[in-house]
Structure formats: C-alpha cells, structure tokens
Amino acid sequence: AVSGGQDSMALLKLIIDLKRIYKWQLNVWHGDHGWHNQSSKICQELKHWCHIQKLPFYSAKTNQAIISSEEKARDWRYTKLLEQAKSITKDNPSLQCKYVLTGHTASDRTETFLMNLARGAHLKGLSSLKESRQLKDKVLLIRPMLRFDRKETIQICNEMNLPVWIDPSNSDVKLSRNRVRQEIIPVLEDLYSGSTIRIANLADKLSTLNDDYSELTTLAIESIKTIEGIDRAKIETLSIKVRSIIFARWIADNSGPFISSTQLL
C-alpha cells in the first residue's frame, strides 16, 4: 500500500531490493482519497513511476463525502486492499496474494499510542499497530517499517533519490493525528529527545503483554466454565477487577452485547 509519501516510498524501495533475493511478486496499490485537488495528479505520477520500475500498479478512488473522517478513510483503504488482493489471486491462483504491507513507522505507533491514551483506552488499545495482524480471506497485514522513525525514512528517500509526493491534507490540523504530529510530538521531543522511539517501544512491549494477558484470560475461563455458563462459586473467589476481565471476555466470546468497564465493575 503506497501513498507516495516518504514512509511508503522508503518501504517500497526496500521491498524492491529484497524481492530480487526472495523472488517475491510485488504489486503496488494506491488509494486516492480525493481530499485535495492534487490527489489525482499524485496518483497518475506514482502510476507513471511504477510503470518505469515495471511494477504492477492498482488504485482506487473515493471522495470526502464517502470518507468524511480518518476512521472511515482507514476502513475504506483496508476494504479496497482486500478486494485487490482477492482479485490478484483470482487472476493468478498459482501466485496467491497473501500479504498486505503498509509503511507505518515508529512515529505512527507513537501518535496512535498517545491518541488512544488520551481517549482512555485499555491495554488492547494502547498496544495497537502491531507488526502483523490477520485480515480477512487469509490475508496477513504486515508493517515492516515499525523499527524506523520519520527522520530515517526521509533519509532513505534522500539517499536513494526516491520521489516523494507530499499530501497537502497532512498539514491540516483539523485532523486529530496531524495535530498530535505537529503540535504534541515536537514538544515531547524538545523536552525528552528520542521520546518518539521510546514511546513506540513501550507500545510494542504492551502488545506482547496484551497477548499474554489474553492467553491467561482464556485459561482462567476454561477453569471456571460449566455447561450452563460460569461457575459462580469459583468466580466469587476472585477480585472484582479480575471478575470484570473474565466477564468481558466471556461475553465477547459468546457474541453478547458490548458492556462498558464501568458496568462490569
């Protein structure tokens, strides 16, 4: 998935170099959000560059009326990426499209962590942006650039003489992520140099902790589960906090309604 910005172009260059060793079949997909009047031009110029590199290029176009928020834009991108992966596999079953790669960096991970922290997210929310996660139709999403920050991706682009297309919407501070990127991260870096990477590393550690936490919850449920539900006598021996964790997981596993942490406590 290539936007044309420095992060995705750095990723693309690294994968182009590595595919000669691993014999990967690489396809480029670009999402034209239509959020500014340069979006179609960026798409066409990126398409032309990929043509010169002899890379298969695909794109999808939408507009702000359809994707009016960052969340809707993200959902649209993943929907279209999965559709494209499925189409590529259908056209060539012997070369199934199994992986979707994105250029998310440590900087993105830090921004996401801070935004979720401010929203009051629990452990799962704070440990988002994992290095990989399963999408639909047996397609795996991979984020190979999470060890890099934006200073490093622009260095890669400069040293490799890569074209970079600047999305004008990235400067719009009405978008919450842009405001965090432009107003909060610089202050933290000024106060504590290198904080971006340290926060990203913390999010990575929390991701592992969340996985362990989930496995332990599964074991706990198995030990108190009965044919009719949960053994009340056993669960009453646990602390209120632990009970709420088990109830939340048990309700989710049994397709129950969403219940807030306050209600569970």
PDB file of all heavy atoms in Angstrom, residues 27-40:
ATOM      1  N   ASN A  27       3.121  -6.142  -5.963  1.00  0.00           N
ATOM      2  CA  ASN A  27       2.071  -5.332  -6.583  1.00  0.00           C
ATOM      3  C   ASN A  27       1.895  -4.058  -5.767  1.00  0.00           C
ATOM      4  O   ASN A  27       1.904  -4.105  -4.530  1.00  0.00           O
ATOM      5  CB  ASN A  27       0.737  -6.084  -6.609  1.00  0.00           C
ATOM      6  CG  ASN A  27       0.832  -7.381  -7.377  1.00  0.00           C
ATOM      7  OD1 ASN A  27       0.780  -7.409  -8.600  1.00  0.00           O
ATOM      8  ND2 ASN A  27       1.001  -8.483  -6.652  1.00  0.00           N
ATOM      9  N   VAL A  28       1.735  -2.926  -6.437  1.00  0.00           N
ATOM     10  CA  VAL A  28       1.578  -1.644  -5.754  1.00  0.00           C
ATOM     11  C   VAL A  28       0.122  -1.205  -5.830  1.00  0.00           C
ATOM     12  O   VAL A  28      -0.493  -1.218  -6.908  1.00  0.00           O
ATOM     13  CB  VAL A  28       2.485  -0.564  -6.390  1.00  0.00           C
ATOM     14  CG1 VAL A  28       2.253   0.797  -5.732  1.00  0.00           C
ATOM     15  CG2 VAL A  28       3.951  -0.967  -6.270  1.00  0.00           C
ATOM     16  N   TRP A  29      -0.418  -0.802  -4.673  1.00  0.00           N
ATOM     17  CA  TRP A  29      -1.786  -0.270  -4.620  1.00  0.00           C
ATOM     18  C   TRP A  29      -1.757   1.117  -4.001  1.00  0.00           C
ATOM     19  O   TRP A  29      -1.056   1.369  -3.019  1.00  0.00           O
ATOM     20  CB  TRP A  29      -2.681  -1.174  -3.770  1.00  0.00           C
ATOM     21  CG  TRP A  29      -4.109  -0.684  -3.681  1.00  0.00           C
ATOM     22  CD1 TRP A  29      -5.129  -0.989  -4.529  1.00  0.00           C
ATOM     23  CD2 TRP A  29      -4.659   0.204  -2.690  1.00  0.00           C
ATOM     24  NE1 TRP A  29      -6.281  -0.341  -4.135  1.00  0.00           N
ATOM     25  CE2 TRP A  29      -6.015   0.410  -3.016  1.00  0.00           C
ATOM     26  CE3 TRP A  29      -4.129   0.858  -1.581  1.00  0.00           C
ATOM     27  CZ2 TRP A  29      -6.852   1.220  -2.258  1.00  0.00           C
ATOM     28  CZ3 TRP A  29      -4.949   1.687  -0.829  1.00  0.00           C
ATOM     29  CH2 TRP A  29      -6.307   1.844  -1.169  1.00  0.00           C
ATOM     30  N   HIS A  30      -2.538   2.023  -4.613  1.00  0.00           N
ATOM     31  CA  HIS A  30      -2.616   3.405  -4.116  1.00  0.00           C
ATOM     32  C   HIS A  30      -4.070   3.804  -3.923  1.00  0.00           C
ATOM     33  O   HIS A  30      -4.918   3.565  -4.790  1.00  0.00           O
ATOM     34  CB  HIS A  30      -1.961   4.364  -5.128  1.00  0.00           C
ATOM     35  CG  HIS A  30      -2.136   5.818  -4.780  1.00  0.00           C
ATOM     36  ND1 HIS A  30      -1.396   6.444  -3.805  1.00  0.00           N
ATOM     37  CD2 HIS A  30      -2.983   6.762  -5.280  1.00  0.00           C
ATOM     38  CE1 HIS A  30      -1.768   7.708  -3.727  1.00  0.00           C
ATOM     39  NE2 HIS A  30      -2.726   7.931  -4.602  1.00  0.00           N
ATOM     40  N   GLY A  31      -4.367   4.419  -2.784  1.00  0.00           N
ATOM     41  CA  GLY A  31      -5.714   4.903  -2.505  1.00  0.00           C
ATOM     42  C   GLY A  31      -5.799   6.410  -2.703  1.00  0.00           C
ATOM     43  O   GLY A  31      -5.131   7.167  -2.006  1.00  0.00           O
ATOM     44  N   ASP A  32      -6.611   6.823  -3.660  1.00  0.00           N
ATOM     45  CA  ASP A  32      -6.839   8.256  -3.927  1.00  0.00           C
ATOM     46  C   ASP A  32      -8.065   8.688  -3.129  1.00  0.00           C
ATOM     47  O   ASP A  32      -9.193   8.414  -3.508  1.00  0.00           O
ATOM     48  CB  ASP A  32      -7.050   8.470  -5.430  1.00  0.00           C
ATOM     49  CG  ASP A  32      -7.280   9.929  -5.791  1.00  0.00           C
ATOM     50  OD1 ASP A  32      -7.368  10.766  -4.873  1.00  0.00           O
ATOM     51  OD2 ASP A  32      -7.370  10.226  -7.003  1.00  0.00           O
ATOM     52  N   HIS A  33      -7.824   9.389  -2.018  1.00  0.00           N
ATOM     53  CA  HIS A  33      -8.914   9.773  -1.125  1.00  0.00           C
ATOM     54  C   HIS A  33      -9.741  10.946  -1.639  1.00  0.00           C
ATOM     55  O   HIS A  33     -10.854  11.168  -1.173  1.00  0.00           O
ATOM     56  CB  HIS A  33      -8.361  10.127   0.260  1.00  0.00           C
ATOM     57  CG  HIS A  33      -7.708   8.989   0.967  1.00  0.00           C
ATOM     58  ND1 HIS A  33      -6.420   8.581   0.694  1.00  0.00           N
ATOM     59  CD2 HIS A  33      -8.166   8.151   1.931  1.00  0.00           C
ATOM     60  CE1 HIS A  33      -6.113   7.549   1.453  1.00  0.00           C
ATOM     61  NE2 HIS A  33      -7.143   7.266   2.221  1.00  0.00           N
ATOM     62  N   GLY A  34      -9.181  11.698  -2.571  1.00  0.00           N
ATOM     63  CA  GLY A  34      -9.912  12.848  -3.099  1.00  0.00           C
ATOM     64  C   GLY A  34     -10.099  13.959  -2.087  1.00  0.00           C
ATOM     65  O   GLY A  34     -11.035  14.750  -2.182  1.00  0.00           O
ATOM     66  N   TRP A  35      -9.188  14.053  -1.110  1.00  0.00           N
ATOM     67  CA  TRP A  35      -9.307  15.059  -0.053  1.00  0.00           C
ATOM     68  C   TRP A  35      -8.739  16.413  -0.462  1.00  0.00           C
ATOM     69  O   TRP A  35      -8.922  17.398   0.236  1.00  0.00           O
ATOM     70  CB  TRP A  35      -8.605  14.574   1.218  1.00  0.00           C
ATOM     71  CG  TRP A  35      -9.438  13.626   2.025  1.00  0.00           C
ATOM     72  CD1 TRP A  35     -10.679  13.161   1.707  1.00  0.00           C
ATOM     73  CD2 TRP A  35      -9.101  13.032   3.285  1.00  0.00           C
ATOM     74  NE1 TRP A  35     -11.132  12.307   2.675  1.00  0.00           N
ATOM     75  CE2 TRP A  35     -10.198  12.207   3.671  1.00  0.00           C
ATOM     76  CE3 TRP A  35      -7.999  13.100   4.125  1.00  0.00           C
ATOM     77  CZ2 TRP A  35     -10.210  11.473   4.845  1.00  0.00           C
ATOM     78  CZ3 TRP A  35      -8.010  12.363   5.303  1.00  0.00           C
ATOM     79  CH2 TRP A  35      -9.095  11.564   5.666  1.00  0.00           C
ATOM     80  N   HIS A  36      -8.008  16.454  -1.572  1.00  0.00           N
ATOM     81  CA  HIS A  36      -7.442  17.724  -2.045  1.00  0.00           C
ATOM     82  C   HIS A  36      -7.343  17.682  -3.565  1.00  0.00           C
ATOM     83  O   HIS A  36      -7.460  16.604  -4.192  1.00  0.00           O
ATOM     84  CB  HIS A  36      -6.059  17.959  -1.416  1.00  0.00           C
ATOM     85  CG  HIS A  36      -5.092  16.831  -1.632  1.00  0.00           C
ATOM     86  ND1 HIS A  36      -4.337  16.700  -2.770  1.00  0.00           N
ATOM     87  CD2 HIS A  36      -4.795  15.754  -0.861  1.00  0.00           C
ATOM     88  CE1 HIS A  36      -3.593  15.615  -2.683  1.00  0.00           C
ATOM     89  NE2 HIS A  36      -3.859  15.015  -1.540  1.00  0.00           N
ATOM     90  N   ASN A  37      -7.130  18.828  -4.177  1.00  0.00           N
ATOM     91  CA  ASN A  37      -7.179  18.906  -5.649  1.00  0.00           C
ATOM     92  C   ASN A  37      -5.930  18.362  -6.337  1.00  0.00           C
ATOM     93  O   ASN A  37      -5.861  18.353  -7.572  1.00  0.00           O
ATOM     94  CB  ASN A  37      -7.435  20.354  -6.097  1.00  0.00           C
ATOM     95  CG  ASN A  37      -6.408  21.332  -5.539  1.00  0.00           C
ATOM     96  OD1 ASN A  37      -5.333  20.922  -5.089  1.00  0.00           O
ATOM     97  ND2 ASN A  37      -6.731  22.620  -5.571  1.00  0.00           N
ATOM     98  N   GLN A  38      -4.942  17.903  -5.553  1.00  0.00           N
ATOM     99  CA  GLN A  38      -3.741  17.314  -6.142  1.00  0.00           C
ATOM    100  C   GLN A  38      -3.760  15.786  -6.115  1.00  0.00           C
ATOM    101  O   GLN A  38      -2.830  15.146  -6.590  1.00  0.00           O
ATOM    102  CB  GLN A  38      -2.503  17.799  -5.369  1.00  0.00           C
ATOM    103  CG  GLN A  38      -2.252  19.297  -5.447  1.00  0.00           C
ATOM    104  CD  GLN A  38      -1.898  19.740  -6.864  1.00  0.00           C
ATOM    105  OE1 GLN A  38      -1.054  19.133  -7.519  1.00  0.00           O
ATOM    106  NE2 GLN A  38      -2.562  20.783  -7.338  1.00  0.00           N
ATOM    107  N   SER A  39      -4.833  15.204  -5.561  1.00  0.00           N
ATOM    108  CA  SER A  39      -4.841  13.753  -5.335  1.00  0.00           C
ATOM    109  C   SER A  39      -4.767  12.949  -6.639  1.00  0.00           C
ATOM    110  O   SER A  39      -4.031  11.963  -6.721  1.00  0.00           O
ATOM    111  CB  SER A  39      -6.081  13.352  -4.539  1.00  0.00           C
ATOM    112  OG  SER A  39      -7.264  13.608  -5.266  1.00  0.00           O
ATOM    113  N   SER A  40      -5.500  13.374  -7.657  1.00  0.00           N
ATOM    114  CA  SER A  40      -5.474  12.646  -8.940  1.00  0.00           C
ATOM    115  C   SER A  40      -4.111  12.758  -9.607  1.00  0.00           C
ATOM    116  O   SER A  40      -3.614  11.798 -10.214  1.00  0.00           O
ATOM    117  CB  SER A  40      -6.558  13.183  -9.878  1.00  0.00           C
ATOM    118  OG  SER A  40      -7.840  12.922  -9.355  1.00  0.00           O
TER     119      SER A  40
END
